[in-house]
Each structure stands twice: as structure tokens, then as C-alpha cells.
Amino acid sequence: MKYTVSSRQRCPKAKELENIEALVRSVEETPDPVPTTIQGTIPAWINGSFLRNGPGKFEFGKDSYTHWFDGMALMHRFHICEGNVTYSSRFLRSDSYVSNSEKNRIVVSEFGTIAMPDPCKNIFQRFFSRFQVPKATDNASVNFVKYKGDYYVSTETNYMRRVDPQSLETKEKVDWSKYIAVNSATAHPHYDREGATYNMGNSYGKSGFFYNIIRVPPPEEKAAVEDSADLTGASVICSIPASEPRKPSYYHSFVMSENYIVFIEQPIKLDLLKFMLYTILGKSFHKVMTWEPQYDTIFHLVNRHTGQVSEVQYRAAPMFTLHQINAFEDNGLLVMDMCCGDDGDVIGDFTLENLRRGSGEEMDKFYNSMCRNLPRRYVLPLTVDGQTPLDQNLVTLSNYKATAKKTKPQEVYMTHEELYDDELLQYGGLEFPQINYDQHNGRAYRYFYSCGFGHVFGDSLLKMDVHTKELKVWRYPGLYPSEPVFVALPGATEEDDGVILSVIITPREEKSTFLLVLDAKTFTELGRAEVPVNVPYGTHGVFNRMG
């Protein structure tokens, strides 16, 4: 399929969307586990905790945050054991949260909100405080991640927080730059089968701006018994210079197969000059990011074992991506599936003002202006050299529709395959993809699970068969599911043998959140655990198995 219209134009326009303000309001924490009411059956073999993260507090005193990403991190735990479920939640006791609470106002700047100078200071102190570069926030509200067997919550700054996955207690703050020469890391690391963790972070200095691939080794067998963060042995295995040194690209995740890592340099650009000035100008961080489609998308191929960067530059038309689905190698090709859009203006749009728009025309207008992300497949030929002919499609396997042509020495131009049929468009595209990660990450696979976006937040759960492009759908009016997480049946032999866990919330009723359990194979409901407290819309989560 080749389209000349954007992904947004392909999806039908929304009409009469409901107000979802209740999904983005502040809630109280529930530190002591509370029982849930079970409807249907929660399979007795599910034994562990479903951990979720996301913004949960949007005001301190008279100050309010501007952007949804700015809300203070609230960690959620659904503990599942022998068919019963309890729920608990805790605010991350980040330095940001503690400082704001003590002063009862916003004193730490976040992604979309600038902290105003202290009104108690005199005019000169307030003026000069504008010229201090603010410390990065440790409000780690994006994901739960694992390094050396320990859980951390993470955002996209250089700070993470170690947490106890049972009690949700906040432990020490970890600064990446104390271990390796990076000043940020993504909230979407990858894990190999030996237990090592891979991530990406930036560094910049006199020699320019670099994207760095980080490796944290597996936990040692005789790991230290003391209860403390351990990132020893972390190393930068590869540094990739930005193709536009003053305009590096924003990235949220990266691609990993069994032998390769691919970093996607997309045309969402950070203006470094503006970045230096943004506090002086009183502008928040999301104002320094711009969508610049005059630039191609560049795929940088790295050997995961040696850190060697391919001399071949793989290029494609401008596109925007937050989350990859999976990647695998097949007969000299690297197949990469990801959620992509044709318009990268999306991130700054998630202001609380936009998310709290009234039902109908106001909300429709906002939703219809947004990018739609759809699943795409890009295929990189891995053996391109001086002998490779120009202008011939190097993707020769008949089961792939994507193309890749060598256009000049050491440059390959790619076109993607649309990884869906038109049925998907009526669900508004998709995001938050998940697979059977333990068995199929970096390997050939057939199924992924995601949220369909018929509203500003996901309003359906989808199962996609990438072989046939067929969909299975769970969707009910007024119900908004979180990212679906796959949990395999112990001893499963088939890829989709297991369940899907998703937290479902609604703006229509108070205290009516539930944990949904779907049969991953049939996509039918097995059971739900109803939670007697209000839960806000979240970001990402993981399943933590118990022995």
C-alpha cells in the first residue's frame, strides 16, 4: 500500500467525543493494599504484581501544572495471587515531590511547566534566578525498568529512582552521569536473554552532540547483599554523532534484534540554542522541540556485540515514532516493526487544558488535529557494500512489501510496508504496543497487542496478527484501557498462550476502575478485579512474577 495522504487523514474524523477530565485529575494514594471485587475468573496460575506508573498529582497549593507529563509520579500495584487481587498505590517521593510538598507550590520545573521564582526573594534575586540552568527533575513517571535485578522508575532525564516492587517504597535517587558519560536515558530499555540491559542516552560537549548506546551487565551470581542501587559495569558501547549538531533529534525508544541495535534519528528536533535560553525566556521544555519534515529519517545500524556502527546510512521519508513493536533478522535482512505517524507535532499537545476540553465540538477539534500512529514495517538489508548494485530493491524475500535501494555509496533509501488493513483505521490507529517479550523480543513473532486511539487516550484494546493483518478488538463506550501487558501461561508452547492485563478507567462513574484479564488467544474477557478508588490514566507498566 502506498499512501499520499497522512496517517491522520486516513483515519475517520471523530464526532461527539466525551469529556475525559476525570482521567487527568489528582487522586489520593492508597499505600495499604485494598481488596478488589472479582467478576468472572482471574486464572489461579497468575502469580505476581502488575506494576503501573503515570502522573497522579497536578497541583501544589495554588500552582497547577500545564502539561499531562508534568504530574507527579504515582506508582500502582495490582497484586494477583490464587485468583484474588489487591490494589495499592504510592506517590514517588522524588526530590521534586518532596520540595513541592514542603513549599506547597511548584518549585521544580517539569517538561511543560516552568517553576516561578520564589515570591519571597527580592526583585534582584528573582531576576538572577532566571539565569540559572534548572536541575533536571527526578519525577520518574513514565515506566518501571530493571537493572541488575532491581526495579527502578524512570523518565527521560539523567535521574531514576530505585523502588521496592512489593511496598512501592521510594529508595535512592540514581544519577546516570555518576556511572557513565551521559546526561539522560530513555524509559524504554531492552533486555537480552543473559540479563543485560541496553538503553540510550545523550551527551554533549565541545566535540558535539552524541547519541550513546548503554549496556548494563547482568546481575552477578554473588551480588552484593546490601540493599542499594548497583549500576557498576555500565558502559557506553557506541556513540553516534548527531547528523545536525545544533539540532539533535528527540527519541523515546530504540530498536533491538538479537545481533543489532538501530537508533532512529527522526525529524523531531531539539533546538540547543533555545534549550540554553528557555528558562531565561520563561518557556517550558516542550517549546524547544519542533517537527522539521525537511529532514529525512536516518536509521543508524549498530552491532550489539561489538558496538561497531555500520558505515551505511539507511534513510526514509520523514516520520515520527515513539514506540517500536519488535525487530528480528531474516536471511540477511533486519525487519523492524514500529508505530509511526507522518506528523510529529503531537508531544506538546498533551496540555491539561487540551485534555480537559468540553465534550463535543471542543474535544473533537483537538482530537482531529492530532497525529495518528499506525504500524509500519521497515526492512534493512544487512550486507550492503561496494559491490551492491544501485537502484535495485534489496528486499528480495517475497513475504515483505517494504523496499530498500542503494541510492549512492554507503546510502540506502527505504520505503515501508503498512502493517495493517483498513479495518484498523476505524479504531483511530494504535499505540502502546506489547508482545510476548520474554520469548519473542528480537526474534520472529506473529502477534502484538496495543491500544486503539479513537479518543485522545486509548479507548480499545487490539490484537494484531502481523502475518494476516487481522485484528481482534475489545472495546466498550466510555471505557479507557491502559497499555496491554502479556503474561505467558507457565510452560506455554504457543506465542499467544497466556493473558493480557490492562487497567480500565472511565470518566463516567466515580471509583469504577478495574483490572481487566483477557484470554490472549481469543481476546475474550476472563475476569475483572474492581478497585474501590479513583485511578488516573497512566503511561507504562510491567508484570513482576513471583516465585
PDB file of all heavy atoms in Angstrom, residues 152 158-162 171-179 229-231:
ATOM      1  N   TYR A 152      13.450   0.033  39.043  1.00  0.00           N
ATOM      2  CA  TYR A 152      13.554   1.495  39.114  1.00  0.00           C
ATOM      3  C   TYR A 152      12.331   2.074  38.413  1.00  0.00           C
ATOM      4  O   TYR A 152      11.744   1.426  37.542  1.00  0.00           O
ATOM      5  CB  TYR A 152      14.804   1.998  38.379  1.00  0.00           C
ATOM      6  CG  TYR A 152      16.112   1.534  38.964  1.00  0.00           C
ATOM      7  CD1 TYR A 152      16.592   0.250  38.706  1.00  0.00           C
ATOM      8  CD2 TYR A 152      16.878   2.368  39.770  1.00  0.00           C
ATOM      9  CE1 TYR A 152      17.800  -0.190  39.243  1.00  0.00           C
ATOM     10  CE2 TYR A 152      18.089   1.936  40.305  1.00  0.00           C
ATOM     11  CZ  TYR A 152      18.538   0.657  40.036  1.00  0.00           C
ATOM     12  OH  TYR A 152      19.735   0.227  40.567  1.00  0.00           O
ATOM     13  N   ASN A 158      18.412  12.395  33.509  1.00  0.00           N
ATOM     14  CA  ASN A 158      19.523  11.550  33.959  1.00  0.00           C
ATOM     15  C   ASN A 158      19.245  10.897  35.311  1.00  0.00           C
ATOM     16  O   ASN A 158      20.085  10.190  35.846  1.00  0.00           O
ATOM     17  CB  ASN A 158      20.823  12.358  34.040  1.00  0.00           C
ATOM     18  CG  ASN A 158      20.700  13.582  34.927  1.00  0.00           C
ATOM     19  OD1 ASN A 158      19.733  14.326  34.815  1.00  0.00           O
ATOM     20  ND2 ASN A 158      21.664  13.813  35.795  1.00  0.00           N
ATOM     21  N   TYR A 159      18.047  11.130  35.876  1.00  0.00           N
ATOM     22  CA  TYR A 159      17.729  10.560  37.186  1.00  0.00           C
ATOM     23  C   TYR A 159      16.701   9.442  37.098  1.00  0.00           C
ATOM     24  O   TYR A 159      15.694   9.565  36.393  1.00  0.00           O
ATOM     25  CB  TYR A 159      17.173  11.641  38.119  1.00  0.00           C
ATOM     26  CG  TYR A 159      18.157  12.726  38.453  1.00  0.00           C
ATOM     27  CD1 TYR A 159      17.884  14.051  38.140  1.00  0.00           C
ATOM     28  CD2 TYR A 159      19.371  12.428  39.082  1.00  0.00           C
ATOM     29  CE1 TYR A 159      18.791  15.063  38.444  1.00  0.00           C
ATOM     30  CE2 TYR A 159      20.281  13.427  39.384  1.00  0.00           C
ATOM     31  CZ  TYR A 159      19.985  14.744  39.067  1.00  0.00           C
ATOM     32  OH  TYR A 159      20.875  15.733  39.369  1.00  0.00           O
ATOM     33  N   MET A 160      16.959   8.378  37.840  1.00  0.00           N
ATOM     34  CA  MET A 160      15.968   7.325  38.080  1.00  0.00           C
ATOM     35  C   MET A 160      15.817   7.206  39.592  1.00  0.00           C
ATOM     36  O   MET A 160      16.638   7.706  40.354  1.00  0.00           O
ATOM     37  CB  MET A 160      16.448   5.967  37.578  1.00  0.00           C
ATOM     38  CG  MET A 160      16.748   5.842  36.138  1.00  0.00           C
ATOM     39  SD  MET A 160      17.107   4.097  35.741  1.00  0.00           S
ATOM     40  CE  MET A 160      18.631   3.780  36.644  1.00  0.00           C
ATOM     41  N   ARG A 161      14.793   6.480  40.014  1.00  0.00           N
ATOM     42  CA  ARG A 161      14.615   6.172  41.424  1.00  0.00           C
ATOM     43  C   ARG A 161      14.454   4.668  41.593  1.00  0.00           C
ATOM     44  O   ARG A 161      13.615   4.058  40.921  1.00  0.00           O
ATOM     45  CB  ARG A 161      13.356   6.850  41.956  1.00  0.00           C
ATOM     46  CG  ARG A 161      13.569   8.299  42.309  1.00  0.00           C
ATOM     47  CD  ARG A 161      14.265   8.405  43.649  1.00  0.00           C
ATOM     48  NE  ARG A 161      14.396   9.801  44.037  1.00  0.00           N
ATOM     49  CZ  ARG A 161      14.767  10.187  45.255  1.00  0.00           C
ATOM     50  NH1 ARG A 161      15.023   9.296  46.188  1.00  0.00           N
ATOM     51  NH2 ARG A 161      14.872  11.456  45.545  1.00  0.00           N
ATOM     52  N   ARG A 162      15.253   4.084  42.451  1.00  0.00           N
ATOM     53  CA  ARG A 162      15.050   2.681  42.781  1.00  0.00           C
ATOM     54  C   ARG A 162      13.801   2.574  43.648  1.00  0.00           C
ATOM     55  O   ARG A 162      13.548   3.449  44.485  1.00  0.00           O
ATOM     56  CB  ARG A 162      16.281   2.130  43.520  1.00  0.00           C
ATOM     57  CG  ARG A 162      16.356   0.615  43.541  1.00  0.00           C
ATOM     58  CD  ARG A 162      17.754   0.151  43.929  1.00  0.00           C
ATOM     59  NE  ARG A 162      18.044   0.467  45.315  1.00  0.00           N
ATOM     60  CZ  ARG A 162      17.838  -0.364  46.343  1.00  0.00           C
ATOM     61  NH1 ARG A 162      17.335  -1.566  46.136  1.00  0.00           N
ATOM     62  NH2 ARG A 162      18.146  -0.003  47.569  1.00  0.00           N
ATOM     63  N   LYS A 171      13.203   4.441  47.042  1.00  0.00           N
ATOM     64  CA  LYS A 171      14.559   4.262  47.554  1.00  0.00           C
ATOM     65  C   LYS A 171      15.443   5.373  46.963  1.00  0.00           C
ATOM     66  O   LYS A 171      14.964   6.441  46.646  1.00  0.00           O
ATOM     67  CB  LYS A 171      15.049   2.873  47.201  1.00  0.00           C
ATOM     68  CG  LYS A 171      14.095   1.796  47.722  1.00  0.00           C
ATOM     69  CD  LYS A 171      14.823   0.693  48.408  1.00  0.00           C
ATOM     70  CE  LYS A 171      13.845  -0.240  49.102  1.00  0.00           C
ATOM     71  NZ  LYS A 171      14.555  -1.178  49.948  1.00  0.00           N
ATOM     72  N   GLU A 172      16.726   5.070  46.750  1.00  0.00           N
ATOM     73  CA  GLU A 172      17.643   6.164  46.427  1.00  0.00           C
ATOM     74  C   GLU A 172      17.500   6.669  44.990  1.00  0.00           C
ATOM     75  O   GLU A 172      17.031   5.957  44.107  1.00  0.00           O
ATOM     76  CB  GLU A 172      19.100   5.769  46.711  1.00  0.00           C
ATOM     77  CG  GLU A 172      19.666   4.715  45.792  1.00  0.00           C
ATOM     78  CD  GLU A 172      19.483   3.309  46.315  1.00  0.00           C
ATOM     79  OE1 GLU A 172      18.368   2.968  46.755  1.00  0.00           O
ATOM     80  OE2 GLU A 172      20.436   2.523  46.243  1.00  0.00           O
ATOM     81  N   LYS A 173      17.933   7.902  44.837  1.00  0.00           N
ATOM     82  CA  LYS A 173      17.969   8.542  43.517  1.00  0.00           C
ATOM     83  C   LYS A 173      19.272   8.136  42.842  1.00  0.00           C
ATOM     84  O   LYS A 173      20.329   8.120  43.468  1.00  0.00           O
ATOM     85  CB  LYS A 173      17.914  10.055  43.739  1.00  0.00           C
ATOM     86  CG  LYS A 173      18.012  10.906  42.514  1.00  0.00           C
ATOM     87  CD  LYS A 173      17.583  12.316  42.909  1.00  0.00           C
ATOM     88  CE  LYS A 173      18.424  13.374  42.279  1.00  0.00           C
ATOM     89  NZ  LYS A 173      17.988  14.720  42.663  1.00  0.00           N
ATOM     90  N   VAL A 174      19.189   7.793  41.568  1.00  0.00           N
ATOM     91  CA  VAL A 174      20.372   7.346  40.829  1.00  0.00           C
ATOM     92  C   VAL A 174      20.613   8.304  39.672  1.00  0.00           C
ATOM     93  O   VAL A 174      19.709   8.581  38.881  1.00  0.00           O
ATOM     94  CB  VAL A 174      20.165   5.909  40.299  1.00  0.00           C
ATOM     95  CG1 VAL A 174      21.338   5.481  39.437  1.00  0.00           C
ATOM     96  CG2 VAL A 174      19.981   4.942  41.460  1.00  0.00           C
ATOM     97  N   ASP A 175      21.831   8.810  39.597  1.00  0.00           N
ATOM     98  CA  ASP A 175      22.221   9.757  38.553  1.00  0.00           C
ATOM     99  C   ASP A 175      23.105   9.003  37.551  1.00  0.00           C
ATOM    100  O   ASP A 175      24.207   8.576  37.874  1.00  0.00           O
ATOM    101  CB  ASP A 175      22.989  10.913  39.189  1.00  0.00           C
ATOM    102  CG  ASP A 175      23.428  11.969  38.185  1.00  0.00           C
ATOM    103  OD1 ASP A 175      23.297  11.731  36.963  1.00  0.00           O
ATOM    104  OD2 ASP A 175      23.910  13.022  38.615  1.00  0.00           O
ATOM    105  N   TRP A 176      22.573   8.827  36.317  1.00  0.00           N
ATOM    106  CA  TRP A 176      23.338   8.099  35.289  1.00  0.00           C
ATOM    107  C   TRP A 176      24.738   8.683  35.107  1.00  0.00           C
ATOM    108  O   TRP A 176      25.698   7.952  34.862  1.00  0.00           O
ATOM    109  CB  TRP A 176      22.592   8.177  33.954  1.00  0.00           C
ATOM    110  CG  TRP A 176      21.562   7.124  33.770  1.00  0.00           C
ATOM    111  CD1 TRP A 176      20.205   7.273  33.849  1.00  0.00           C
ATOM    112  CD2 TRP A 176      21.781   5.736  33.474  1.00  0.00           C
ATOM    113  NE1 TRP A 176      19.572   6.067  33.624  1.00  0.00           N
ATOM    114  CE2 TRP A 176      20.514   5.114  33.394  1.00  0.00           C
ATOM    115  CE3 TRP A 176      22.915   4.953  33.271  1.00  0.00           C
ATOM    116  CZ2 TRP A 176      20.356   3.759  33.109  1.00  0.00           C
ATOM    117  CZ3 TRP A 176      22.771   3.596  32.991  1.00  0.00           C
ATOM    118  CH2 TRP A 176      21.506   3.014  32.917  1.00  0.00           C
ATOM    119  N   SER A 177      24.839  10.017  35.182  1.00  0.00           N
ATOM    120  CA  SER A 177      26.125  10.656  34.859  1.00  0.00           C
ATOM    121  C   SER A 177      27.218  10.328  35.884  1.00  0.00           C
ATOM    122  O   SER A 177      28.383  10.570  35.648  1.00  0.00           O
ATOM    123  CB  SER A 177      25.957  12.174  34.727  1.00  0.00           C
ATOM    124  OG  SER A 177      25.573  12.744  35.961  1.00  0.00           O
ATOM    125  N   LYS A 178      26.825   9.750  37.030  1.00  0.00           N
ATOM    126  CA  LYS A 178      27.838   9.319  38.013  1.00  0.00           C
ATOM    127  C   LYS A 178      28.477   7.992  37.596  1.00  0.00           C
ATOM    128  O   LYS A 178      29.502   7.579  38.129  1.00  0.00           O
ATOM    129  CB  LYS A 178      27.184   9.139  39.390  1.00  0.00           C
ATOM    130  CG  LYS A 178      26.616  10.415  39.992  1.00  0.00           C
ATOM    131  CD  LYS A 178      27.709  11.258  40.645  1.00  0.00           C
ATOM    132  CE  LYS A 178      27.138  12.396  41.474  1.00  0.00           C
ATOM    133  NZ  LYS A 178      26.546  13.475  40.711  1.00  0.00           N
ATOM    134  N   TYR A 179      27.840   7.282  36.673  1.00  0.00           N
ATOM    135  CA  TYR A 179      28.342   5.976  36.247  1.00  0.00           C
ATOM    136  C   TYR A 179      28.981   6.027  34.868  1.00  0.00           C
ATOM    137  O   TYR A 179      29.983   5.371  34.616  1.00  0.00           O
ATOM    138  CB  TYR A 179      27.203   4.943  36.233  1.00  0.00           C
ATOM    139  CG  TYR A 179      26.694   4.595  37.604  1.00  0.00           C
ATOM    140  CD1 TYR A 179      25.680   5.330  38.205  1.00  0.00           C
ATOM    141  CD2 TYR A 179      27.240   3.525  38.309  1.00  0.00           C
ATOM    142  CE1 TYR A 179      25.210   5.007  39.474  1.00  0.00           C
ATOM    143  CE2 TYR A 179      26.770   3.184  39.573  1.00  0.00           C
ATOM    144  CZ  TYR A 179      25.765   3.940  40.158  1.00  0.00           C
ATOM    145  OH  TYR A 179      25.309   3.621  41.415  1.00  0.00           O
ATOM    146  N   ALA A 229      21.438   0.632  45.113  1.00  0.00           N
ATOM    147  CA  ALA A 229      21.482   0.653  43.649  1.00  0.00           C
ATOM    148  C   ALA A 229      22.853   0.196  43.172  1.00  0.00           C
ATOM    149  O   ALA A 229      23.872   0.537  43.771  1.00  0.00           O
ATOM    150  CB  ALA A 229      21.199   2.062  43.144  1.00  0.00           C
ATOM    151  N   ASP A 230      22.858  -0.574  42.098  1.00  0.00           N
ATOM    152  CA  ASP A 230      24.124  -1.084  41.565  1.00  0.00           C
ATOM    153  C   ASP A 230      24.102  -1.000  40.040  1.00  0.00           C
ATOM    154  O   ASP A 230      23.452  -1.804  39.385  1.00  0.00           O
ATOM    155  CB  ASP A 230      24.324  -2.529  42.025  1.00  0.00           C
ATOM    156  CG  ASP A 230      25.587  -3.155  41.432  1.00  0.00           C
ATOM    157  OD1 ASP A 230      26.470  -2.382  40.985  1.00  0.00           O
ATOM    158  OD2 ASP A 230      25.685  -4.392  41.411  1.00  0.00           O
ATOM    159  N   LEU A 231      24.802  -0.016  39.497  1.00  0.00           N
ATOM    160  CA  LEU A 231      24.960   0.078  38.044  1.00  0.00           C
ATOM    161  C   LEU A 231      26.430  -0.123  37.656  1.00  0.00           C
ATOM    162  O   LEU A 231      26.849   0.281  36.566  1.00  0.00           O
ATOM    163  CB  LEU A 231      24.463   1.430  37.521  1.00  0.00           C
ATOM    164  CG  LEU A 231      22.950   1.707  37.626  1.00  0.00           C
ATOM    165  CD1 LEU A 231      22.618   3.052  37.010  1.00  0.00           C
ATOM    166  CD2 LEU A 231      22.128   0.631  36.957  1.00  0.00           C
TER     167      LEU A 231
END
